[in-house]
Amino acid sequence: MDKKFRKTVIAGNWKMNQLASGVPAYADTLKAGLAVGAQEEVVLCAPYPLLPALLAAVDGTPVRVGAQDVSAHDAGAYTGEVSAAMLADLGVTYCIIGHSERRAYHAESDALVNEKLKALLKNGVTPIICVGESLEQRDAGETLKVVSEQIKNGFADISADEARGVVVAYEPIWAIGTGRTATSEQAQEVCSFIREYLAENLYDWDTSKAISILYGGSMNGKNCAELLAQIDIDGGLIGGASLKPAEFAGMVKDGNEDA
């Protein structure tokens, strides 16, 4: 399927790493390695306290800033929560939701992820919704069942027009931070399935082919190009490698060549 219908997105997820004081130096190294006129969308998703420093450091560049989570609530007595309106007011344009670490450590359900997706869309922030199976589920042959349920529930009550503004990230849990990566064939198989499921069960092919689907799970400078060459993989959600600005810039270059 022709990738010209959708954008390539190379997104870094710093997780709970980095300090605000180190952001300017990181940004300087990254900017020095980025190609002029890059075609893909470059995103850095950082912890809440780092967002202002990161926004300032990449101001005037093509790099977009994302958050790593958001509240499902608009406002109110929710101590410790951060709303989509707050993120948008800062200038944040992307936000990860449904990451496996949030689902596992904070018992986030598909229904909650769906509410967060709606909150982001309401405030003009692009959601990156994560889906993926555990090793036990893959070994039991349940990968497609698990992923389809997460997609169906995550996109509940989302119109086709709204869906076009959502990014999906397939992250097999068994490959996140383990150094173990899905083969390009395994990653393509699931990303292709996601696109087909969106087209045939929730929306239509015109909508589905406009939705960017990323791969995440120990993607790095060595395997990035091969993964991005797959027809249904439109970018990456990159963890550990995104903490190394020179390596991340190289992965952005791979994404630009594939765009």
Side-chain angles (χ1 to χ4, degrees), residues 114-133:
N114 176 250
E115 291 302 313
K116 292 183 176 186
L117 187 148
K118 292 174 181 175
L120 291 169
L121 290 175
K122 177 181 175 182
N123 287 276
V125 179
T126 300
I128 302 175
I129 180 171
C130 299
V131 299
E133 82 284 8

Side-chain angles (χ1 to χ4, degrees), residues 69-85:
D69 189 33
V70 69
S71 175
H73 303 287
D74 291 334
Y78 302 102
T79 301
E81 295 288 284
V82 174
S83 73

Side-chain angles (χ1 to χ4, degrees), residues 37-212:
Q39 299 299 309
E40 78 284 7
E41 191 95 318
V42 183
V43 185
L44 288 172
C45 297
Y48 294 135
L50 277 60
L51 293 176
L54 185 54
L55 284 160
V58 301
D59 186 40
T61 77
V63 179
R64 302 290 178 258
V65 175
Q68 298 174 351
D69 189 33
V70 69
S71 175
H73 303 287
D74 291 334
Y78 302 102
T79 301
E81 295 288 284
V82 174
S83 73
M86 293 174 181
L87 295 178
D89 188 57
L90 279 177
V92 170
T93 52
Y94 281 82
C95 183
I96 299 169
I97 53 172
H99 194 280
S100 62
E101 291 159 3
R102 298 293 308 178
R103 294 178 188 261
Y105 305 152
H106 301 275
E108 291 196 0
S109 65
D110 288 345
L112 178 58
V113 173
N114 176 250
E115 291 302 313
K116 292 183 176 186
L117 187 148
K118 292 174 181 175
L120 291 169
L121 290 175
K122 177 181 175 182
N123 287 276
V125 179
T126 300
I128 302 175
I129 180 171
C130 299
V131 299
E133 82 284 8
S134 67
L135 181 59
E136 292 76 16
Q137 290 166 331
R138 171 164 280 274
D139 287 344
E142 298 176 348
T143 294
L144 302 186
K145 176 184 176 182
V146 170
V147 170
S148 63
E149 281 295 305
Q150 291 173 333
I151 291 292
K152 179 181 73 173
N153 297 329
F155 279 83
D157 303 317
I158 300 300
S159 70
D161 284 344
E162 291 173 323
R164 290 169 181 260
V166 178
V167 174
V168 176
Y170 168 55
E171 290 202 309
I173 298 169
W174 48 271
I176 300 174
T178 62
R180 179 177 174 180
T181 311
T183 65
S184 56
E185 291 80 10
Q186 288 172 324
Q188 164 61 20
E189 177 188 15
V190 179
C191 290
S192 175
F193 169 78
I194 291 171
R195 197 174 308 286
E196 182 177 331
Y197 186 87
L198 287 165
E200 298 186 354
N201 294 275
L202 300 182
Y203 304 109
D204 52 64
W205 279 104
D206 283 343
T207 300
S208 177
K209 70 184 181 183
I211 296 174
S212 296

